[in-house]
Amino acid sequence: MDPIVLAAGTALVSAMATDAWLQSKAATVAMWRRVRPDHTDDVGAELDALRGQVLAARDAEDEETEQALAGVWRMRFQQALADTPGLAAELRLLLDDHLGPALSRTEQTRGASVVMNAEARDNSRVYLSGRDQHINGA
């Protein structure tokens, strides 16, 4: 899944539990109208219903449900990205200008992703690690 999709889906659901939700929702609906005009009829109502579920999950301290709800929008964004050229730039703007600023520092880092790439040539070795790494031997 595209890293921007992961970040945007997570940030959207996290923003639902903030005081800035109305602004985040308006920006999301506006973006959806621009890039998916054929799928905008019920998006606002769907977001409001999902917000109710997110708030209930937060009250119950049910992180698994919240992650599942974020997955719904990750899949929607991923499908839209596959169908709509240029959506990645729109998602980045939505994330940077509207969703990200609505989140606490902790939630901003929750949605962040790290992409690491390496290439080995001429029988060389490559070691990548997201944290501690111990290499023994030759």
Side-chain angles (χ1 to χ4, degrees):
M1 188 169 283
D2 192 288
I4 189 65
V5 167
L6 293 170
T10 300
L12 176 63
V13 169
S14 294
M16 290 177 178
T18 70
D19 292 336
W21 170 239
L22 292 178
Q23 295 87 352
S24 298
K25 175 188 161 189
T28 303
V29 170
M31 189 250 353
W32 204 254
R33 270 195 193 109
R34 282 192 306 278
V35 300
R36 300 290 298 231
D38 54 328
H39 293 92
T40 59
D41 292 340
D42 298 324
V43 73
E46 289 176 33
L47 289 170
D48 285 334
L50 188 65
R51 180 176 192 250
Q53 294 174 309
V54 169
L55 293 175
R58 288 248 171 136
D59 286 344
E61 298 180 7
D62 184 357
E63 192 170 318
E64 288 179 19
T65 295
E66 190 172 341
Q67 285 302 312
L69 295 171
V72 169
W73 271 90
R74 288 183 200 124
M75 292 306 297
R76 286 186 79 169
F77 285 148
Q78 185 67 36
Q79 185 59 50
L81 185 63
D83 296 343
T84 309
L87 180 64
E90 289 280 343
L91 281 174
R92 174 56 59 198
L93 284 173
L94 177 67
L95 185 61
D96 291 346
D97 295 348
H98 301 285
L99 300 178
L103 305 178
S104 68
R105 289 256 189 244
T106 302
E107 288 179 320
Q108 286 176 3
T109 57
R110 227 169 113 193
S113 63
V114 175
V115 177
M116 299 184 335
N117 295 307
E119 185 175 321
R121 295 177 194 243
D122 301 324
N123 295 323
S124 60
R125 295 182 189 184
V126 175
Y127 302 95
L128 292 176
S129 174
R131 195 147 173 225
D132 296 344
Q133 186 175 63
H134 302 280
I135 302 168
N136 295 319

